[in-house]
PDB file of all heavy atoms in Angstrom:
ATOM      1  N   SER R   1     -63.481  68.309 -16.804  1.00 90.00           N
ATOM      2  CA  SER R   1     -62.424  68.333 -15.794  1.00 90.00           C
ATOM      3  C   SER R   1     -61.050  68.420 -16.458  1.00 90.00           C
ATOM      4  O   SER R   1     -60.830  67.907 -17.558  1.00 90.00           O
ATOM      5  CB  SER R   1     -62.501  67.099 -14.901  1.00 90.00           C
ATOM      6  OG  SER R   1     -62.244  65.925 -15.648  1.00 90.00           O
ATOM      7  N   ARG R   2     -60.157  69.059 -15.785  1.00 92.00           N
ATOM      8  CA  ARG R   2     -58.767  69.186 -16.240  1.00 92.00           C
ATOM      9  C   ARG R   2     -57.946  68.152 -15.486  1.00 92.00           C
ATOM     10  O   ARG R   2     -57.937  68.127 -14.244  1.00 92.00           O
ATOM     11  CB  ARG R   2     -58.254  70.591 -15.954  1.00 92.00           C
ATOM     12  CG  ARG R   2     -56.853  70.895 -16.468  1.00 92.00           C
ATOM     13  CD  ARG R   2     -56.546  72.363 -16.226  1.00 92.00           C
ATOM     14  NE  ARG R   2     -57.537  73.195 -16.897  1.00 92.00           N
ATOM     15  CZ  ARG R   2     -57.295  73.954 -17.960  1.00 92.00           C
ATOM     16  NH1 ARG R   2     -56.086  73.971 -18.470  1.00 92.00           N
ATOM     17  NH2 ARG R   2     -58.244  74.689 -18.497  1.00 92.00           N
ATOM     18  N   VAL R   3     -57.280  67.278 -16.205  1.00 93.00           N
ATOM     19  CA  VAL R   3     -56.467  66.239 -15.569  1.00 93.00           C
ATOM     20  C   VAL R   3     -55.062  66.301 -16.144  1.00 93.00           C
ATOM     21  O   VAL R   3     -54.851  66.735 -17.288  1.00 93.00           O
ATOM     22  CB  VAL R   3     -57.059  64.830 -15.781  1.00 93.00           C
ATOM     23  CG1 VAL R   3     -58.447  64.743 -15.161  1.00 93.00           C
ATOM     24  CG2 VAL R   3     -57.117  64.464 -17.250  1.00 93.00           C
ATOM     25  N   ALA R   4     -54.102  65.893 -15.344  1.00 95.00           N
ATOM     26  CA  ALA R   4     -52.704  65.908 -15.785  1.00 95.00           C
ATOM     27  C   ALA R   4     -51.943  64.804 -15.085  1.00 95.00           C
ATOM     28  O   ALA R   4     -52.266  64.422 -13.946  1.00 95.00           O
ATOM     29  CB  ALA R   4     -52.049  67.260 -15.491  1.00 95.00           C
ATOM     30  N   ALA R   5     -50.942  64.298 -15.764  1.00 95.00           N
ATOM     31  CA  ALA R   5     -50.035  63.306 -15.179  1.00 95.00           C
ATOM     32  C   ALA R   5     -48.616  63.670 -15.596  1.00 95.00           C
ATOM     33  O   ALA R   5     -48.316  63.772 -16.792  1.00 95.00           O
ATOM     34  CB  ALA R   5     -50.386  61.903 -15.644  1.00 95.00           C
ATOM     35  N   MET R   6     -47.765  63.909 -14.610  1.00 97.00           N
ATOM     36  CA  MET R   6     -46.362  64.227 -14.870  1.00 97.00           C
ATOM     37  C   MET R   6     -45.522  62.975 -14.678  1.00 97.00           C
ATOM     38  O   MET R   6     -45.644  62.280 -13.653  1.00 97.00           O
ATOM     39  CB  MET R   6     -45.870  65.328 -13.930  1.00 97.00           C
ATOM     40  CG  MET R   6     -44.417  65.725 -14.163  1.00 97.00           C
ATOM     41  SD  MET R   6     -43.897  67.182 -13.211  1.00 97.00           S
ATOM     42  CE  MET R   6     -43.918  66.507 -11.536  1.00 97.00           C
ATOM     43  N   PHE R   7     -44.662  62.675 -15.645  1.00 97.00           N
ATOM     44  CA  PHE R   7     -43.819  61.478 -15.631  1.00 97.00           C
ATOM     45  C   PHE R   7     -42.362  61.886 -15.525  1.00 97.00           C
ATOM     46  O   PHE R   7     -41.851  62.633 -16.370  1.00 97.00           O
ATOM     47  CB  PHE R   7     -44.035  60.662 -16.909  1.00 97.00           C
ATOM     48  CG  PHE R   7     -45.423  60.120 -17.071  1.00 97.00           C
ATOM     49  CD1 PHE R   7     -46.437  60.921 -17.583  1.00 97.00           C
ATOM     50  CD2 PHE R   7     -45.728  58.821 -16.702  1.00 97.00           C
ATOM     51  CE1 PHE R   7     -47.724  60.443 -17.728  1.00 97.00           C
ATOM     52  CE2 PHE R   7     -47.017  58.325 -16.841  1.00 97.00           C
ATOM     53  CZ  PHE R   7     -48.020  59.128 -17.350  1.00 97.00           C
ATOM     54  N   LEU R   8     -41.690  61.390 -14.503  1.00 98.00           N
ATOM     55  CA  LEU R   8     -40.256  61.571 -14.339  1.00 98.00           C
ATOM     56  C   LEU R   8     -39.609  60.222 -14.620  1.00 98.00           C
ATOM     57  O   LEU R   8     -39.799  59.262 -13.862  1.00 98.00           O
ATOM     58  CB  LEU R   8     -39.929  62.051 -12.924  1.00 98.00           C
ATOM     59  CG  LEU R   8     -40.705  63.274 -12.430  1.00 98.00           C
ATOM     60  CD1 LEU R   8     -40.295  63.624 -11.009  1.00 98.00           C
ATOM     61  CD2 LEU R   8     -40.523  64.466 -13.356  1.00 98.00           C
ATOM     62  N   GLN R   9     -38.873  60.123 -15.711  1.00 97.00           N
ATOM     63  CA  GLN R   9     -38.322  58.831 -16.116  1.00 97.00           C
ATOM     64  C   GLN R   9     -37.064  58.542 -15.315  1.00 97.00           C
ATOM     65  O   GLN R   9     -36.060  59.245 -15.409  1.00 97.00           O
ATOM     66  CB  GLN R   9     -38.021  58.813 -17.609  1.00 97.00           C
ATOM     67  CG  GLN R   9     -37.621  57.431 -18.108  1.00 97.00           C
ATOM     68  CD  GLN R   9     -37.735  57.297 -19.621  1.00 97.00           C
ATOM     69  OE1 GLN R   9     -38.054  58.254 -20.319  1.00 97.00           O
ATOM     70  NE2 GLN R   9     -37.481  56.100 -20.126  1.00 97.00           N
ATOM     71  N   THR R  10     -37.113  57.486 -14.523  1.00 97.00           N
ATOM     72  CA  THR R  10     -36.002  57.129 -13.646  1.00 97.00           C
ATOM     73  C   THR R  10     -35.203  55.940 -14.161  1.00 97.00           C
ATOM     74  O   THR R  10     -34.190  55.573 -13.567  1.00 97.00           O
ATOM     75  CB  THR R  10     -36.527  56.826 -12.237  1.00 97.00           C
ATOM     76  OG1 THR R  10     -37.543  55.815 -12.309  1.00 97.00           O
ATOM     77  CG2 THR R  10     -37.136  58.083 -11.612  1.00 97.00           C
ATOM     78  N   GLY R  11     -35.654  55.319 -15.249  1.00 96.00           N
ATOM     79  CA  GLY R  11     -34.970  54.201 -15.869  1.00 96.00           C
ATOM     80  C   GLY R  11     -35.638  53.903 -17.194  1.00 96.00           C
ATOM     81  O   GLY R  11     -36.678  54.483 -17.522  1.00 96.00           O
ATOM     82  N   PRO R  12     -35.082  52.971 -17.989  1.00 95.00           N
ATOM     83  CA  PRO R  12     -35.691  52.670 -19.284  1.00 95.00           C
ATOM     84  C   PRO R  12     -37.163  52.275 -19.178  1.00 95.00           C
ATOM     85  O   PRO R  12     -37.957  52.595 -20.070  1.00 95.00           O
ATOM     86  CB  PRO R  12     -34.842  51.518 -19.814  1.00 95.00           C
ATOM     87  CG  PRO R  12     -33.532  51.656 -19.108  1.00 95.00           C
ATOM     88  CD  PRO R  12     -33.852  52.186 -17.753  1.00 95.00           C
ATOM     89  N   ASP R  13     -37.522  51.597 -18.088  1.00 96.00           N
ATOM     90  CA  ASP R  13     -38.891  51.113 -17.916  1.00 96.00           C
ATOM     91  C   ASP R  13     -39.523  51.616 -16.620  1.00 96.00           C
ATOM     92  O   ASP R  13     -40.552  51.085 -16.192  1.00 96.00           O
ATOM     93  CB  ASP R  13     -38.909  49.581 -17.920  1.00 96.00           C
ATOM     94  CG  ASP R  13     -38.195  48.988 -19.118  1.00 96.00           C
ATOM     95  OD1 ASP R  13     -38.602  49.308 -20.253  1.00 96.00           O
ATOM     96  OD2 ASP R  13     -37.219  48.239 -18.933  1.00 96.00           O
ATOM     97  N   SER R  14     -38.924  52.639 -15.999  1.00 97.00           N
ATOM     98  CA  SER R  14     -39.366  53.070 -14.675  1.00 97.00           C
ATOM     99  C   SER R  14     -39.708  54.554 -14.685  1.00 97.00           C
ATOM    100  O   SER R  14     -38.985  55.368 -15.280  1.00 97.00           O
ATOM    101  CB  SER R  14     -38.273  52.811 -13.637  1.00 97.00           C
ATOM    102  OG  SER R  14     -37.910  51.444 -13.615  1.00 97.00           O
ATOM    103  N   PHE R  15     -40.800  54.913 -13.978  1.00 97.00           N
ATOM    104  CA  PHE R  15     -41.271  56.288 -13.942  1.00 97.00           C
ATOM    105  C   PHE R  15     -41.829  56.613 -12.564  1.00 97.00           C
ATOM    106  O   PHE R  15     -42.480  55.765 -11.934  1.00 97.00           O
ATOM    107  CB  PHE R  15     -42.380  56.515 -14.977  1.00 97.00           C
ATOM    108  CG  PHE R  15     -41.991  56.142 -16.377  1.00 97.00           C
ATOM    109  CD1 PHE R  15     -42.188  54.851 -16.850  1.00 97.00           C
ATOM    110  CD2 PHE R  15     -41.407  57.073 -17.211  1.00 97.00           C
ATOM    111  CE1 PHE R  15     -41.822  54.494 -18.133  1.00 97.00           C
ATOM    112  CE2 PHE R  15     -41.028  56.730 -18.502  1.00 97.00           C
ATOM    113  CZ  PHE R  15     -41.249  55.436 -18.967  1.00 97.00           C
ATOM    114  N   THR R  16     -41.559  57.832 -12.115  1.00 97.00           N
ATOM    115  CA  THR R  16     -42.289  58.392 -10.982  1.00 97.00           C
ATOM    116  C   THR R  16     -43.381  59.269 -11.567  1.00 97.00           C
ATOM    117  O   THR R  16     -43.109  60.160 -12.377  1.00 97.00           O
ATOM    118  CB  THR R  16     -41.366  59.210 -10.072  1.00 97.00           C
ATOM    119  OG1 THR R  16     -40.363  58.342  -9.529  1.00 97.00           O
ATOM    120  CG2 THR R  16     -42.158  59.836  -8.932  1.00 97.00           C
ATOM    121  N   VAL R  17     -44.633  59.018 -11.167  1.00 96.00           N
ATOM    122  CA  VAL R  17     -45.787  59.666 -11.784  1.00 96.00           C
ATOM    123  C   VAL R  17     -46.514  60.491 -10.730  1.00 96.00           C
ATOM    124  O   VAL R  17     -46.834  59.987  -9.648  1.00 96.00           O
ATOM    125  CB  VAL R  17     -46.752  58.630 -12.396  1.00 96.00           C
ATOM    126  CG1 VAL R  17     -47.893  59.336 -13.132  1.00 96.00           C
ATOM    127  CG2 VAL R  17     -46.006  57.689 -13.345  1.00 96.00           C
ATOM    128  N   VAL R  18     -46.775  61.754 -11.062  1.00 96.00           N
ATOM    129  CA  VAL R  18     -47.546  62.641 -10.194  1.00 96.00           C
ATOM    130  C   VAL R  18     -48.813  63.012 -10.937  1.00 96.00           C
ATOM    131  O   VAL R  18     -48.755  63.518 -12.063  1.00 96.00           O
ATOM    132  CB  VAL R  18     -46.761  63.916  -9.825  1.00 96.00           C
ATOM    133  CG1 VAL R  18     -47.523  64.735  -8.783  1.00 96.00           C
ATOM    134  CG2 VAL R  18     -45.369  63.558  -9.315  1.00 96.00           C
ATOM    135  N   GLY R  19     -49.980  62.775 -10.313  1.00 94.00           N
ATOM    136  CA  GLY R  19     -51.247  62.996 -10.995  1.00 94.00           C
ATOM    137  C   GLY R  19     -52.055  64.123 -10.392  1.00 94.00           C
ATOM    138  O   GLY R  19     -51.913  64.479  -9.226  1.00 94.00           O
ATOM    139  N   SER R  20     -52.923  64.686 -11.227  1.00 92.00           N
ATOM    140  CA  SER R  20     -53.896  65.684 -10.781  1.00 92.00           C
ATOM    141  C   SER R  20     -55.211  65.398 -11.476  1.00 92.00           C
ATOM    142  O   SER R  20     -55.266  65.313 -12.701  1.00 92.00           O
ATOM    143  CB  SER R  20     -53.414  67.101 -11.121  1.00 92.00           C
ATOM    144  OG  SER R  20     -54.398  68.051 -10.775  1.00 92.00           O
ATOM    145  N   GLY R  21     -56.267  65.241 -10.696  1.00 91.00           N
ATOM    146  CA  GLY R  21     -57.563  64.904 -11.265  1.00 91.00           C
ATOM    147  C   GLY R  21     -57.784  63.404 -11.321  1.00 91.00           C
ATOM    148  O   GLY R  21     -56.923  62.606 -10.922  1.00 91.00           O
ATOM    149  N   ASP R  22     -58.948  63.006 -11.810  1.00 91.00           N
ATOM    150  CA  ASP R  22     -59.330  61.594 -11.900  1.00 91.00           C
ATOM    151  C   ASP R  22     -59.092  61.111 -13.316  1.00 91.00           C
ATOM    152  O   ASP R  22     -59.696  61.611 -14.275  1.00 91.00           O
ATOM    153  CB  ASP R  22     -60.802  61.418 -11.525  1.00 91.00           C
ATOM    154  CG  ASP R  22     -61.077  61.841 -10.083  1.00 91.00           C
ATOM    155  OD1 ASP R  22     -60.488  61.231  -9.171  1.00 91.00           O
ATOM    156  OD2 ASP R  22     -61.855  62.787  -9.882  1.00 91.00           O
ATOM    157  N   ALA R  23     -58.211  60.124 -13.474  1.00 92.00           N
ATOM    158  CA  ALA R  23     -57.838  59.669 -14.809  1.00 92.00           C
ATOM    159  C   ALA R  23     -57.400  58.221 -14.777  1.00 92.00           C
ATOM    160  O   ALA R  23     -57.034  57.672 -13.720  1.00 92.00           O
ATOM    161  CB  ALA R  23     -56.720  60.545 -15.376  1.00 92.00           C
ATOM    162  N   VAL R  24     -57.441  57.595 -15.949  1.00 94.00           N
ATOM    163  CA  VAL R  24     -56.913  56.260 -16.148  1.00 94.00           C
ATOM    164  C   VAL R  24     -55.802  56.343 -17.184  1.00 94.00           C
ATOM    165  O   VAL R  24     -55.989  56.925 -18.265  1.00 94.00           O
ATOM    166  CB  VAL R  24     -57.998  55.278 -16.624  1.00 94.00           C
ATOM    167  CG1 VAL R  24     -57.379  53.937 -17.012  1.00 94.00           C
ATOM    168  CG2 VAL R  24     -59.037  55.073 -15.537  1.00 94.00           C
ATOM    169  N   VAL R  25     -54.644  55.781 -16.847  1.00 95.00           N
ATOM    170  CA  VAL R  25     -53.475  55.817 -17.715  1.00 95.00           C
ATOM    171  C   VAL R  25     -53.140  54.409 -18.171  1.00 95.00           C
ATOM    172  O   VAL R  25     -53.098  53.476 -17.360  1.00 95.00           O
ATOM    173  CB  VAL R  25     -52.263  56.426 -16.989  1.00 95.00           C
ATOM    174  CG1 VAL R  25     -51.039  56.441 -17.903  1.00 95.00           C
ATOM    175  CG2 VAL R  25     -52.580  57.837 -16.493  1.00 95.00           C
ATOM    176  N   THR R  26     -52.925  54.237 -19.472  1.00 95.00           N
ATOM    177  CA  THR R  26     -52.458  52.960 -20.016  1.00 95.00           C
ATOM    178  C   THR R  26     -51.192  53.204 -20.818  1.00 95.00           C
ATOM    179  O   THR R  26     -50.869  54.338 -21.191  1.00 95.00           O
ATOM    180  CB  THR R  26     -53.523  52.311 -20.918  1.00 95.00           C
ATOM    181  OG1 THR R  26     -53.858  53.219 -21.984  1.00 95.00           O
ATOM    182  CG2 THR R  26     -54.779  51.978 -20.128  1.00 95.00           C
ATOM    183  N   PHE R  27     -50.470  52.120 -21.082  1.00 95.00           N
ATOM    184  CA  PHE R  27     -49.194  52.207 -21.784  1.00 95.00           C
ATOM    185  C   PHE R  27     -49.202  51.254 -22.963  1.00 95.00           C
ATOM    186  O   PHE R  27     -49.649  50.112 -22.858  1.00 95.00           O
ATOM    187  CB  PHE R  27     -48.043  51.856 -20.832  1.00 95.00           C
ATOM    188  CG  PHE R  27     -47.951  52.744 -19.623  1.00 95.00           C
ATOM    189  CD1 PHE R  27     -48.677  52.443 -18.465  1.00 95.00           C
ATOM    190  CD2 PHE R  27     -47.153  53.878 -19.629  1.00 95.00           C
ATOM    191  CE1 PHE R  27     -48.589  53.254 -17.346  1.00 95.00           C
ATOM    192  CE2 PHE R  27     -47.068  54.696 -18.512  1.00 95.00           C
ATOM    193  CZ  PHE R  27     -47.790  54.379 -17.372  1.00 95.00           C
ATOM    194  N   THR R  28     -48.705  51.733 -24.095  1.00 95.00           N
ATOM    195  CA  THR R  28     -48.556  50.907 -25.289  1.00 95.00           C
ATOM    196  C   THR R  28     -47.158  51.136 -25.852  1.00 95.00           C
ATOM    197  O   THR R  28     -46.409  51.996 -25.376  1.00 95.00           O
ATOM    198  CB  THR R  28     -49.618  51.251 -26.351  1.00 95.00           C
ATOM    199  OG1 THR R  28     -49.547  52.656 -26.645  1.00 95.00           O
ATOM    200  CG2 THR R  28     -51.021  50.913 -25.854  1.00 95.00           C
ATOM    201  N   ALA R  29     -46.803  50.377 -26.891  1.00 94.00           N
ATOM    202  CA  ALA R  29     -45.481  50.528 -27.505  1.00 94.00           C
ATOM    203  C   ALA R  29     -45.572  50.192 -28.979  1.00 94.00           C
ATOM    204  O   ALA R  29     -46.302  49.287 -29.382  1.00 94.00           O
ATOM    205  CB  ALA R  29     -44.471  49.618 -26.814  1.00 94.00           C
ATOM    206  N   ASP R  30     -44.833  50.931 -29.787  1.00 89.00           N
ATOM    207  CA  ASP R  30     -44.717  50.635 -31.215  1.00 89.00           C
ATOM    208  C   ASP R  30     -43.256  50.569 -31.634  1.00 89.00           C
ATOM    209  O   ASP R  30     -42.920  50.704 -32.802  1.00 89.00           O
ATOM    210  CB  ASP R  30     -45.462  51.679 -32.050  1.00 89.00           C
ATOM    211  CG  ASP R  30     -44.950  53.101 -31.828  1.00 89.00           C
ATOM    212  OD1 ASP R  30     -43.960  53.267 -31.077  1.00 89.00           O
ATOM    213  OD2 ASP R  30     -45.524  54.038 -32.411  1.00 89.00           O
ATOM    214  N   THR R  31     -42.375  50.348 -30.663  1.00 90.00           N
ATOM    215  CA  THR R  31     -40.948  50.216 -30.922  1.00 90.00           C
ATOM    216  C   THR R  31     -40.582  48.736 -30.961  1.00 90.00           C
ATOM    217  O   THR R  31     -41.356  47.870 -30.518  1.00 90.00           O
ATOM    218  CB  THR R  31     -40.150  50.932 -29.829  1.00 90.00           C
ATOM    219  OG1 THR R  31     -40.555  50.431 -28.545  1.00 90.00           O
ATOM    220  CG2 THR R  31     -40.403  52.433 -29.878  1.00 90.00           C
ATOM    221  N   PRO R  32     -39.416  48.404 -31.503  1.00 92.00           N
ATOM    222  CA  PRO R  32     -39.025  46.989 -31.590  1.00 92.00           C
ATOM    223  C   PRO R  32     -39.082  46.292 -30.236  1.00 92.00           C
ATOM    224  O   PRO R  32     -38.685  46.856 -29.215  1.00 92.00           O
ATOM    225  CB  PRO R  32     -37.596  47.059 -32.127  1.00 92.00           C
ATOM    226  CG  PRO R  32     -37.551  48.341 -32.900  1.00 92.00           C
ATOM    227  CD  PRO R  32     -38.417  49.289 -32.124  1.00 92.00           C
ATOM    228  N   GLY R  33     -39.574  45.065 -30.228  1.00 91.00           N
ATOM    229  CA  GLY R  33     -39.698  44.288 -29.009  1.00 91.00           C
ATOM    230  C   GLY R  33     -41.076  43.688 -28.891  1.00 91.00           C
ATOM    231  O   GLY R  33     -41.937  43.890 -29.768  1.00 91.00           O
ATOM    232  N   PRO R  34     -41.322  42.935 -27.826  1.00 93.00           N
ATOM    233  CA  PRO R  34     -42.661  42.373 -27.621  1.00 93.00           C
ATOM    234  C   PRO R  34     -43.729  43.452 -27.699  1.00 93.00           C
ATOM    235  O   PRO R  34     -43.525  44.590 -27.253  1.00 93.00           O
ATOM    236  CB  PRO R  34     -42.561  41.752 -26.227  1.00 93.00           C
ATOM    237  CG  PRO R  34     -41.106  41.448 -26.055  1.00 93.00           C
ATOM    238  CD  PRO R  34     -40.382  42.544 -26.760  1.00 93.00           C
ATOM    239  N   ALA R  35     -44.894  43.100 -28.236  1.00 91.00           N
ATOM    240  CA  ALA R  35     -45.895  44.105 -28.589  1.00 91.00           C
ATOM    241  C   ALA R  35     -46.706  44.616 -27.416  1.00 91.00           C
ATOM    242  O   ALA R  35     -47.228  45.734 -27.460  1.00 91.00           O
ATOM    243  CB  ALA R  35     -46.838  43.526 -29.644  1.00 91.00           C
ATOM    244  N   ILE R  36     -46.856  43.821 -26.357  1.00 93.00           N
ATOM    245  CA  ILE R  36     -47.781  44.178 -25.276  1.00 93.00           C
ATOM    246  C   ILE R  36     -46.995  44.754 -24.104  1.00 93.00           C
ATOM    247  O   ILE R  36     -45.949  44.218 -23.708  1.00 93.00           O
ATOM    248  CB  ILE R  36     -48.591  42.948 -24.820  1.00 93.00           C
ATOM    249  CG1 ILE R  36     -49.313  42.329 -26.016  1.00 93.00           C
ATOM    250  CG2 ILE R  36     -49.598  43.341 -23.741  1.00 93.00           C
ATOM    251  CD1 ILE R  36     -50.002  41.010 -25.700  1.00 93.00           C
ATOM    252  N   VAL R  37     -47.523  45.833 -23.524  1.00 95.00           N
ATOM    253  CA  VAL R  37     -46.908  46.466 -22.361  1.00 95.00           C
ATOM    254  C   VAL R  37     -47.688  46.078 -21.113  1.00 95.00           C
ATOM    255  O   VAL R  37     -48.919  46.233 -21.062  1.00 95.00           O
ATOM    256  CB  VAL R  37     -46.881  47.996 -22.498  1.00 95.00           C
ATOM    257  CG1 VAL R  37     -46.284  48.632 -21.247  1.00 95.00           C
ATOM    258  CG2 VAL R  37     -46.100  48.413 -23.734  1.00 95.00           C
ATOM    259  N   GLY R  38     -46.964  45.570 -20.136  1.00 93.00           N
ATOM    260  CA  GLY R  38     -47.581  45.227 -18.867  1.00 93.00           C
ATOM    261  C   GLY R  38     -47.037  46.090 -17.740  1.00 93.00           C
ATOM    262  O   GLY R  38     -45.983  46.723 -17.864  1.00 93.00           O
ATOM    263  N   LEU R  39     -47.798  46.135 -16.656  1.00 94.00           N
ATOM    264  CA  LEU R  39     -47.369  46.853 -15.464  1.00 94.00           C
ATOM    265  C   LEU R  39     -46.709  45.862 -14.512  1.00 94.00           C
ATOM    266  O   LEU R  39     -47.377  45.021 -13.910  1.00 94.00           O
ATOM    267  CB  LEU R  39     -48.566  47.530 -14.791  1.00 94.00           C
ATOM    268  CG  LEU R  39     -49.065  48.798 -15.497  1.00 94.00           C
ATOM    269  CD1 LEU R  39     -50.484  49.123 -15.075  1.00 94.00           C
ATOM    270  CD2 LEU R  39     -48.145  49.961 -15.181  1.00 94.00           C
ATOM    271  N   ASP R  40     -45.380  45.938 -14.403  1.00 94.00           N
ATOM    272  CA  ASP R  40     -44.654  45.073 -13.483  1.00 94.00           C
ATOM    273  C   ASP R  40     -45.083  45.372 -12.051  1.00 94.00           C
ATOM    274  O   ASP R  40     -45.403  44.464 -11.273  1.00 94.00           O
ATOM    275  CB  ASP R  40     -43.162  45.298 -13.674  1.00 94.00           C
ATOM    276  CG  ASP R  40     -42.295  44.359 -12.837  1.00 94.00           C
ATOM    277  OD1 ASP R  40     -42.812  43.806 -11.849  1.00 94.00           O
ATOM    278  OD2 ASP R  40     -41.112  44.203 -13.160  1.00 94.00           O
ATOM    279  N   SER R  41     -45.121  46.680 -11.717  1.00 94.00           N
ATOM    280  CA  SER R  41     -45.519  47.052 -10.355  1.00 94.00           C
ATOM    281  C   SER R  41     -45.918  48.517 -10.308  1.00 94.00           C
ATOM    282  O   SER R  41     -45.441  49.331 -11.103  1.00 94.00           O
ATOM    283  CB  SER R  41     -44.384  46.800  -9.360  1.00 94.00           C
ATOM    284  OG  SER R  41     -43.243  47.568  -9.693  1.00 94.00           O
TER     285      SER R  41
END
């Protein structure tokens, strides 16, 4: 299957996401700051 997710960044930590297909998306970080990324909402 072909899947895609388009991200429009609306703030430093905020995104509008448009998806196509069945997929699971996770977020990680390797930049300075706390190591774990959580989903606020």
Side-chain angles (χ1 to χ4, degrees):
S1 65
R2 184 175 302 250
V3 299
M6 181 172 69
F7 297 82
L8 308 179
Q9 188 162 3
T10 55
D13 308 302
S14 303
F15 305 89
T16 297
V17 184
V18 187
S20 176
D22 298 299
V24 172
V25 179
T26 58
F27 301 87
T28 55
D30 59 4
T31 55
I36 304 173
V37 178
L39 284 161
D40 185 340
S41 61

